[in-house]
Structure formats: structure tokens, C-alpha cells
Amino acid sequence: MSVIGHIAKALGRISGEASVGFGEGKALSSKLEAWKRGQDLDDDNRGAQMVSPYQQSAWIYTAISAMAEGLAQIPFRISRVGSDKVRRIRALRGSADPRHREMCNRALGENIVESGDVVDLFDRPHPTIPRTLFWEQIVSWDALRGEFFLVPLDEADGIVDLSERSPGVRRLLTLDPAMFWHMVSGFELIGWRYTGSPLMSPLPSIVLAPSEVIHARAVNPYLYWRGLSPLTVALLPASADFAASMFMKGLLMNNADTGVIATTEQNLTPEQCEQFTAALRERKRKAGTPDRPLFLSSGVKIEKPTISNVDMQFLETRKLLRQEIGAIYKVPESVMGFSESKSSSLSGGGNALNEEKLTFIQQNLGSKCHRYEAAVEPIIKTFGDDLVGWFDLDSLPVMQDARRARVDTAAKVFEMGVPLNDVNRVYDLGFPEYKWGKVGLLPFNLQPAQSVVEGPEMPGEDNKPPTGGNGENGEETPVAAGVRFFRALANSQSQIAGGQAGGQERKVDTKKLWERHIRARNAAVKLFQRKVCRVLNEFRGKVLAKLTTVHLEGKGAGVATQTKGLVDLVFNPGEFGNALVLVLEQPMRSGLQQAGDEALREVGENDPWEAPPKFVTDYLLSRKQPVMGVGATVRDRLNTTLEAGLQEGETTGQLASRVREVFNDMTEGEALRVARTETHIVYETARDKALDQVGITHKAWLSSHGPAVRPGHAEAEETYIDDPIPSSEPFIVDMDGVPEQLMFPGDDSLGASLGNIINCQCVRLAAEKEEEDEKGAWFKVFGMGRCYFPAKDAKHTKHCCH
């Protein structure tokens, strides 16, 4: 049977079934009747509708596929960098500072893991998903939905809970975000409901806990739990472009003919209208065939409409819509395949195209890489806390070309006498720090730049060191505070120098100098205080949660037994101390580095301080026991107040009020005391180590000038500010009539008591001897200028700074 016979038989069956279904005499629907007659169906006045932009818009598909394919080409590597560096590297991966990026890239590139379970996982995340498809799906869902979901699985495709002690992740699935529904109870996300089907997804419908799903989302100001899709913004230009493309399709399908208008002076019967319509339709059967002759009677005239100016502009409109979609997704036109306007010699030829590709990788794919690295970090940490996953952007050819261009520019800067290490840092060349790289060389005779130009001046307002920016809540970071301090310090030095040139004597205000040092540490004190308050608040909740059950079970026992059992059961000082040590480790590490950097800048060293790893480790171990002792302090205060409450026969609610009062008081008082003490010890320990490393020969004592200065510390300033001592000798500081030895303020290595350390805010100043004769010596005290001190056998006078 021919094809026409099959169609006729089918039409007959449809007609017969319609007659049976609707009864004798019932006609088919108007659409079915029109379809049987070969007429065009009514579109219900909807016009060209776009249902699936990714399928129907060429520009949406091109922009998303360019991002997905581009990111999938970037190698994803796993590196083992050691538990002592992994946190710092993860924090600095997205830093804008080229020094940080250089340090991270060097550490990651030198320790790449070539084999193992974690490498196999990301080489083949799932039997049905190869590596490239895995990353392309992530990018596509992120671009279409503004979020993506990863579900970790074991070998048997069972769901893995990442909160378990040793989760065995062996497979990864990327799933459609539209099939996930967030489940919120109160104000807390309690799970995700996934609605899967056999023909649409590899998982059945299931409810997943938050720890069983990795959910990464874009910013959404309207719904906290979900991401905002860029497609929401791109939908309007995509819809307009789809309508324009449908207009072009209709025009081409009609042989580029806009149609005809038939006019007559006589009224036509319906049969005549149908005959004329059929004749016009027969003339334009399909695209690619010549027009057929047309014979009309009854005085019918044919008029051909012309294309208006608006119709002629739709091609330019499509180009504008394409540019708008590319701007929303941050994809240049050249990456989308439209490079005719940038490939001419007048526009720079290939250089313009390479610059656009470089910008696309750095600003678009680079930011996505950092987001996706953070998203898969919990998966990588299941294989080891010292592992870091990262995208090797520098391995791309366009990035290597950019580096070669930077090397050419850096070579010109090096010929100007700029030291190689500075050139390497500014242009991010990736070279290591060389010992000889601190010296600038001039090309005509290759002699040190210091021999033909004056040495570097102290940084001032016109020669600003790099700033650290502001931290969370707009607060000044420790780095920014330190930079601001050294600017003020440099200004005071220049004022002193000006006084010397004019032959004037000016005494430096030690109180103002001390205030500058303390202001530089305020940001670090606030950081330590927030960390301590966080632990106090956490354990306040734990104690209150345990109090009701433990107190009710303990009723009927003796007061002493109840008190001892109650305190020990609701609060564990060792657990509290360990938690405090854990949260203070990172502030201590960063504080040591910042204090060392500030000390070197104070004496004119511009290079960052390289803290010895053993020194940092020993310092953290030395502070562990004192920090652990805070837990005993909390226990003693809880013990005292609970004992008083039990003696008075208070209820559980009244005892809970006592617990809240203890933790609230410690949040306001104890947290600040611990923060000030630890910040002071961190800064002074790092200052002492850094200044000794650069060869500072002498030191002086700057006492606190606050409202509660210790008499022994004030006396130490009077003694040592006038007469700096060698750095190898200890300060002698009186404490309640007993002289004690300290190498620097806050030092307990020589047996100093807690009264000389807790809440101390004194500062070790750096000093160097410049001239000496039988009458006395000239010292340079950094921060105070050039001072003269008489010989030991001469009359003791106050210092004078010129």
C-alpha cells in the first residue's frame, strides 16, 4: 500500500472513531476538519512563543555552550599541600594580590597528585558521565537555573552522607535543579525533596538531607534558599530574537515574498473566495520552486505590499539582541563565533581576539572556577584534609601567551633598574624569590642601582605601601590598620627630620607613639574577641540544653554531690579549651605574619617577613596550655553560681538564668581580656623574632599609656626609653616589688609572672647605635628619631630627639 493509501486509511479511521465517540451526526472539531482539508491551523493569537530558550534561542545556546566547553577544557587537578598550608591556600586562591596567587600556584603545582581514588573520581565522576560532560552539566545548570546540585554516591549508587566520619564517595551525579524542592521547617533547611522518574533521571524520587547534597547557588535577592538564573534577565531579548527568527523563517518559506493583496469592486460569494484563496496558495506551494501562473476573473486586481523601514531593521535588531544576551552571560561576541568586526588589520587583527578570549577566561571562567572549587571542596576533603582541588588556568594556551606578553613587558621594566623580585611580584611571572633579586641592575654597566641613586625612602603619603582593605561588617583589617600606622609613623619621622634640619630639638610624645601601635592592633583584638565569643555562645547553648535533664535527674541527692555532678555533666572544660584552641589557631598564624611584616616596615624593610615554620609551630604549642586554662576559669564561675543556686533551692529555670548571666558576663569581660592578651603576645613575639632576624642590635621599652598602667611597666619605659639595651639582654621589670626578666613585653620564657603578662599593652621598640664617643652615644630609636644618651658615668638626662 502506498503512503497516500496509509494516510487515507488513517483519516477514515479517525473519522469513524470520531463518529462513534460523539454519536451519529456529530462532526469533528474545527481544527481536525481543517487539518483534513489541508488548511492552516489557527494559532489562537499566540504568535511565536518561546518555550525552551536553550533549545529555541541560538544565542542562549551559543553563550552557555561556550562557557561549558571552555571550562571543561581546563584541567582540574588535585594537590597535596600539607595540613598547615591548606587553609591559607584555600583562602587565597581567589585573591587579587599577585603575590598570593604566585604563592598558591607554586605550592599547588609542586605537589600534584597523579593517582589515587580522588583522581579517579574526578576523571570519571560516574559510569554514565565522563569528566568533560560532568563539568559541562555543572556550567549549563548554573547558567540556566542559577544553581546546581551534586549528589555523592558510593560504589553501589547509594547516597553518601558527608557529615559521617569517613564517607566513602566513589561517584558523583549532577541532577536537574528543577527536580529539587527545598524543605524548610521554621527558618532552617531540613532537606531536599527530589522528584525523579526512570525516563528523565538516574535517581528515583527521594528525600535527601542537606549533608547528602552539595548545593551551590548564585545570588538571589528574592529567595534565600535558591539561586537566581541569569536566564530570567536574558529571557526578554531571547524571546524578541526568537520572534525575529520566526519572521525570517516565514519570509523565506514564502520565497521571500511578503504576500499579495487581492481587491475587487464586486462582492464575492464564499465559494469564489475559497477558489481565489486556493489559487493563491497553489501559486506559492513551497520555498525553492518557481511561482506558478495565476488566472483570476471577476475583475480581481493583485497588489504587492512593500517592506517597511521597520521590517528592514530587524537584522540590526537581532545583532543588538545577540550583544545583549552575550553581555548578560559575560561572553564576548568573538567567543560566540562572531569575529568579523575584530579581525581586520585596523582593529589589531588577532590581538583583539586574543585579548577578548583572555578577558573571558579571567573574568568569566576564572570566577566560575573558584566557585566550583569551593563547591567540590567537601568531596575532596573526604579523601584527606591536606588535599586541594583546583583548575589549572595557566595551562591554557591563551594564558601562556599572556604570560609571554607579560615577560616582554617585565623585561623592559627590569632594564629600568627595578629589582627582579619586584618585577616578578607586580607582573605575576611565577618565578621564585631570588636572593640576588632584591638588587636593581642598570643595563649600561650592570652595577647595583644603589650605587648610582639614593636608597629608598620611608613610605609616606606619596609612597604608599599596599593596603589590606576592610574586613567583614566594614571593619578595618589588621593589615589595613598596620599600614595606616606606618604611614603616621613615617610622617612623624619626616617631622623629626625637618626639625633636625632647622636646628630645633623636639621631644617625641611617647603616648601618641603608643596609641599608634595600639590602633594598629585594634582590628586583630576584635578578631580574637569574635572568635572567643563564638565559642562562649556555642557552649552556652550546650550547657543550657543539658541543664534541664541533668538537674531533674540529680534531685534528691545531697547539695555537694549535686553541685559536683551538675557542673561536670553540663560543662566539660577540656572540650571548651580544645574548641578555643582550634578557633584561635588561624588568628594566631595571621597575627604572627602581620606583626612581623609591620616590624620590618617600621625599620625600613619592604619585603614581607618569612616566618620560620618551626617558630610558628613552637609558638602555637606554647600558647595551647594557657588558652586551655580559660575552660577552667569558665568551670569555676559556673561551679560558684550553681552551688549558690542549689543552696537556695532554685528551679531549673532559675539555674538556667544563672548560667546565662555567667556566659554573658564572660562574653563582655573575659573575651576582651583573652583577646587583648593573646593579640599582645602574638604581636610582641613576632616583632622580637623579626627584628632579631634583620639584625636590629638594640631595643627599648614603650609602656602602656592607658588608664591602668602598671607602675613597674611605666618605670621600665623611663629606664629603657632613655637607654636602649642590646637585643640579647632581658628587660628588668618590677612586679609588686619583685624584679622579673622579660626579653620583650608579654614574654614568659624567663619565668615572668602572669601579673606582668595578662592585659599588658607595652611595646618593644627597635633601636640602633649610630655614633659613640667617651661622652655618650647617638641612637636611632625607630619611631622616635635620633636620640643622644650620655655615657654611664655622666649625668643621666632625659632623651632629646632631633
Side-chain angles (χ1 to χ4, degrees), residues 535-555:
V535 177
L536 286 170
N537 291 333
E538 177 185 350
F539 276 81
R540 179 181 63 179
K542 291 182 178 181
V543 171
L544 292 175
K546 296 178 181 178
L547 182 62
T548 301
T549 303
V550 173
H551 182 229
L552 291 178
E553 292 177 353
K555 284 187 176 181

Side-chain angles (χ1 to χ4, degrees), residues 64 67 137-149 175-178 192 214-221 223-233 328-329 368 371-372 375:
I64 294 178
M67 293 188 296
Q137 284 184 333
I138 287 180
V139 178
S140 299
W141 289 131
D142 194 19
L144 291 171
R145 303 288 186 180
E147 59 186 354
F148 63 88
F149 291 82
L175 300 175
D176 186 357
W192 295 93
I214 292 179
H215 176 219
R217 65 185 188 274
V219 177
N220 189 345
L223 179 59
Y224 176 80
W225 306 109
R226 307 303 294 263
L228 179 63
S229 170
L231 190 58
T232 307
V233 183
I328 293 173
Y329 281 102
K368 292 183 185 299
R371 285 184 55 215
Y372 300 161

Side-chain angles (χ1 to χ4, degrees), residues 346-631:
L346 296 177
S347 63
N351 291 334
L353 298 179
N354 290 336
E355 289 176 2
E356 282 197 352
K357 292 180 180 179
L358 179 63
T359 303
F360 169 69
I361 292 175
Q362 291 177 332
Q363 298 184 1
N364 190 327
L365 297 187
S367 61
K368 292 183 185 299
C369 287
H370 294 310
R371 285 184 55 215
Y372 300 161
E373 289 169 4
V376 300
E377 178 184 336
I379 300 294
I380 297 175
K381 290 179 67 176
T382 62
F383 296 89
D385 289 334
D386 57 347
L387 295 176
V388 175
W390 56 289
F391 287 90
D392 191 2
L393 284 169
D394 291 335
S395 65
L396 297 179
V398 65
M399 299 297 290
Q400 294 175 0
D401 291 341
R403 172 164 290 183
R404 283 191 286 270
R406 292 200 304 271
V407 170
D408 293 340
T409 305
K412 298 178 182 178
V413 177
F414 178 75
E415 294 175 356
M416 298 169 59
V418 180
L420 176 61
N421 289 348
D422 293 338
V423 174
N424 178 37
R425 181 173 59 253
V426 171
Y427 290 94
D428 191 18
L429 301 180
F431 297 120
E433 292 283 335
Y434 296 102
K435 293 183 179 179
W436 52 268
K438 299 179 181 180
V439 179
L441 301 175
L442 297 177
F444 55 85
N445 55 7
L446 295 181
Q447 57 181 312
Q450 294 96 312
S451 62
V452 293
V453 298
E454 296 181 357
E457 299 179 355
M458 286 284 290
E461 287 298 326
D462 296 331
N463 186 17
K464 299 179 181 179
T467 60
N470 292 333
E472 53 185 344
N473 301 325
E475 296 180 357
E476 191 177 33
T477 62
V479 175
V483 169
R484 178 174 49 78
F485 161 65
F486 282 105
R487 289 180 187 167
L489 185 62
N491 289 338
S492 67
Q493 293 278 31
S494 62
Q495 293 174 0
I496 293 169
Q500 180 182 1
Q504 301 175 359
E505 295 185 0
R506 179 176 299 170
K507 179 178 179 180
V508 174
D509 191 341
T510 55
K511 180 179 180 180
K512 291 183 178 179
L513 179 60
W514 172 79
E515 289 175 348
R516 291 170 186 158
H517 276 279
I518 296 305
R519 281 197 298 269
R521 305 180 185 187
N522 280 342
V525 173
K526 292 180 180 179
L527 176 61
F528 273 92
Q529 187 177 8
R530 287 197 300 270
K531 297 293 185 180
V532 177
C533 290
R534 170 183 156 190
V535 177
L536 286 170
N537 291 333
E538 177 185 350
F539 276 81
R540 179 181 63 179
K542 291 182 178 181
V543 171
L544 292 175
K546 296 178 181 178
L547 182 62
T548 301
T549 303
V550 173
H551 182 229
L552 291 178
E553 292 177 353
K555 284 187 176 181
V559 172
T561 304
Q562 288 185 40
T563 305
K564 181 179 180 181
L566 186 60
V567 172
D568 292 338
L569 290 176
V570 300
F571 181 77
N572 186 335
E575 182 184 354
F576 179 90
N578 287 327
L580 195 59
V581 169
L582 184 62
V583 300
L584 292 186
E585 178 182 348
Q586 185 58 35
M588 286 182 179
R589 289 180 180 272
S590 61
L592 289 172
Q593 184 63 46
Q594 292 157 9
D597 290 344
E598 292 176 6
L600 295 189
R601 287 197 297 267
E602 181 180 341
V603 297
E605 295 284 341
N606 294 325
D607 292 333
W609 180 47
E610 297 182 1
K614 187 176 185 304
F615 164 75
V616 177
T617 303
D618 292 344
Y619 177 81
L620 295 177
L621 290 176
S622 68
R623 296 310 304 164
K624 182 176 181 180
Q625 194 61 35
V627 173
M628 291 282 292
V630 180

